[in-house]
Amino acid sequence: MPIPVIIDCDPGHDDVFALWLAAGHPALDLVAVTTVGGNVPLEHTTRNARIALSVAGVTGVPVAAGAARPLVRPLQTAEWIHGENGLGGPELPEPTVPLDPRSATELIADALTASAEPVAIIATGPITNVAILLRDRPELAGRIREIVWMGGSTERGNATPYAEFNALVDPEALDLVVRSGVRFTMVGLNVTHLALVTSGVREQIASLGTATADFGAELFDFFCRMNDEVFGMPDGPLHDPVAVAVLADPGCVEVRRTRLDVELLGIETAGATSVDLDGMLGREPNAWVAVGLDVDRFWAGVAASVARLA
Ligand code: RIB
Ligand code: CA
């Protein structure tokens, strides 16, 4: 029985592949998409999510816009990696997928209420929308199967020396979600940096010969070029679909039960994710954290899912 999932995202090149993996994988049933300000402002992330589904021929999945900014901090964006419109590279078509008039919170609440079984939420941007839902609709927490989030790191950051971008943008939202008691899995840079878009991966996707794959190949061109310029990583790490793989193919991502705390007060360390893998602090474990990836199995799953789309 496919797992019903909601993708909350900030497209962003890698978010697009997360949407495609969720939409194309037989183990998942994508029931809703919500967007958040993150890589680029909300108007762009929302349009980009609609474009991603339109290009892939995905219909009947509502897309609603959520928070334009974090809970308490000003929005920080990442045009320096994703371009001004958030999907630098290909010429962007007009989306055929409509914008749902509900807010992200309303759409998530409706999807949770309508589902016969608990729904998983996969967040691949700043986790503001999920925090707002849990803060404003606490009675729905029991309808959430689990939350899987791409963000954080067991090691260093990518937006500051100690903070990964999604965590840095809204650490208060992350702290609220981790404390909520809903099963939470963090998929951090320590693992997503293994999901590298190598020349072999680019060939694997390009050889599919579909409209979706062709669009994805153009996204790869830009994403890899920018990762090379900014981080010296010509094989750009495709972060977000790894979070989807946790549910689509659990054997693909190794996770460990551990203690996760979020730095909120640090001047230089705000947004840092303190992952106590060795139990040094003696605190109660409160999260699952990804610690390994079967890289070939992961890319095989991405390619097979993209191949099922338009
Ligand atoms: O740090 C990587 C994360 O930040 C990814 O989700 C990327 O899309 C950006 O949102
Ligand atoms: Ca993202």
Side-chain angles (χ1 to χ4, degrees):
M1 187 70 177
I3 301 170
V5 299
I6 296 167
I7 299 276
D8 182 67
C9 55
D10 65 335
H13 294 68
D14 51 334
D15 300 76
V16 168
F17 282 85
L19 287 167
W20 290 350
L21 179 56
H25 200 289
L28 303 180
D29 176 17
L30 181 60
V31 297
V33 173
T34 52
T35 58
V36 65
N39 281 318
V40 286
L42 182 66
E43 62 179 312
H44 283 304
T45 60
T46 305
R47 187 169 186 274
N48 292 344
R50 295 168 55 207
I51 288 171
L53 297 184
S54 302
V55 164
V58 176
T59 57
V61 177
V63 178
R69 49 157 297 177
L71 292 182
V72 293
R73 296 171 190 252
L75 177 64
Q76 295 181 67
T77 53
E79 288 87 349
W80 35 272
I81 276 287
H82 295 282
E84 282 305 308
N85 65 11
L87 287 185
E91 186 174 333
L92 300 183
E94 277 304 310
T96 53
V97 167
L99 174 64
D100 191 292
R102 289 169 285 185
S103 70
T105 304
E106 288 165 342
L107 176 54
I108 295 172
D110 288 348
L112 293 176
T113 305
S115 179
E117 58 182 290
V119 180
I121 299 176
I122 303 172
T124 61
I127 202 163
T128 314
N129 290 333
V130 180
I132 291 170
L133 176 91
L134 291 169
R135 180 193 68 194
D136 296 352
R137 302 294 303 274
E139 77 282 5
L140 295 178
R143 290 181 175 267
I144 303 173
R145 170 190 169 119
E146 61 186 293
I147 298 165
V148 182
W149 172 67
M150 189 279 137
S153 174
T154 62
E155 294 155 11
R156 303 220 359 128
N158 64 351
T160 71
Y162 291 97
E164 176 278 329
F165 177 78
N166 289 337
L168 175 70
V169 171
D170 201 345
E172 285 76 16
L174 177 58
D175 185 60
L176 187 156
V177 173
V178 172
R179 293 177 187 275
S180 72
V182 176
R183 178 187 168 107
F184 184 80
T185 300
M186 180 188 106
V187 182
L189 297 176
N190 52 293
V191 167
T192 64
H193 276 174
L194 301 174
L196 298 176
V197 180
T198 63
S199 56
V201 166
R202 296 172 74 164
E203 176 53 31
Q204 194 175 6
I205 297 297
S207 66
L208 297 175
T210 64
T212 304
D214 292 347
F215 190 83
E218 290 189 76
L219 292 177
F220 279 163
D221 288 343
F222 184 93
F223 184 69
C224 291
R225 187 168 69 250
M226 297 303 283
N227 271 276
D228 191 15
E229 286 179 18
V230 174
F231 297 114
M233 296 176 75
D235 298 343
L238 205 71
H239 307 282
D240 293 334
V242 183
V244 178
V246 168
L247 290 177
D249 183 10
C252 182
V253 185
E254 181 187 355
V255 293
R256 190 185 301 173
R257 184 80 174 147
T258 186
R259 176 70 191 197
L260 167 62
D261 292 288
V262 186
E263 179 56 55
L264 302 178
L265 304 178
I267 294 172
E268 302 299 334
T269 56
T273 45
S274 170
V275 182
D276 188 10
L277 290 172
D278 299 321
M280 289 183 261
L281 302 174
R283 294 175 186 164
E284 193 65 26
N286 61 350
W288 294 86
V289 172
V291 293
L293 179 70
D294 182 332
V295 175
D296 291 343
R297 183 168 167 177
F298 166 72
W299 286 119
V302 171
S305 298
V306 171
R308 289 190 190 92
L309 303 174

